[in-house]
């Protein structure tokens, strides 16, 4: 809830993250996945990013492997 200008974080709620992943289970223990993630900055954090010439939101592709044992 406090500002930290060194890391670019403003006061209050600063970030929301939303993702969607599609997983295929070869076995219950092994499951690769592919998905998208969207992140949006709000409030003072968004203002700090815009002042630095950066976007306040970004989307990315994620992929990985879920292992369970």
């Amino acid at each position: 809830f406090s500002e930290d200008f060194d890391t670019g974080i403003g006061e209050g709620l600063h970030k929301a993250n939303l993702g969607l992943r599609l997983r295929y289970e070869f076995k219950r223990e092994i499951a690769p996945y592919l998905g998208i993630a969207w992140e949006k900055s709000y409030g003072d954090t968004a203002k700090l990013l815009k002042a630095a010439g950066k976007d306040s939101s970004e989307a990315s592709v994620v992929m990985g492997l879920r292992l369970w044992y």
Side-chain angles (χ1 to χ4, degrees):
F1 293 105
S2 62
E3 294 179 343
D4 186 2
F5 294 114
D6 293 335
T7 59
I9 296 175
E11 187 175 348
L13 177 68
H14 66 91
K15 198 179 290 186
N17 194 343
L18 179 68
L20 179 67
R21 293 184 179 143
L22 179 63
R23 182 177 71 210
Y24 179 77
E25 292 184 356
F26 290 110
K27 293 181 175 182
R28 188 170 175 99
E29 296 84 9
I30 302 172
Y33 63 86
L34 180 66
I36 56 172
W38 178 73
E39 187 174 277
K40 171 96 173 127
S41 297
Y42 295 98
D44 291 341
T45 303
K47 290 177 188 176
L48 289 171
L49 288 171
K50 288 180 183 179
K54 298 179 182 177
D55 290 332
S56 62
S57 67
E58 71 177 34
S60 58
V61 176
V62 294
M63 58 188 246
L65 181 64
R66 178 180 165 222
L67 298 173
W68 179 61
Y69 57 94

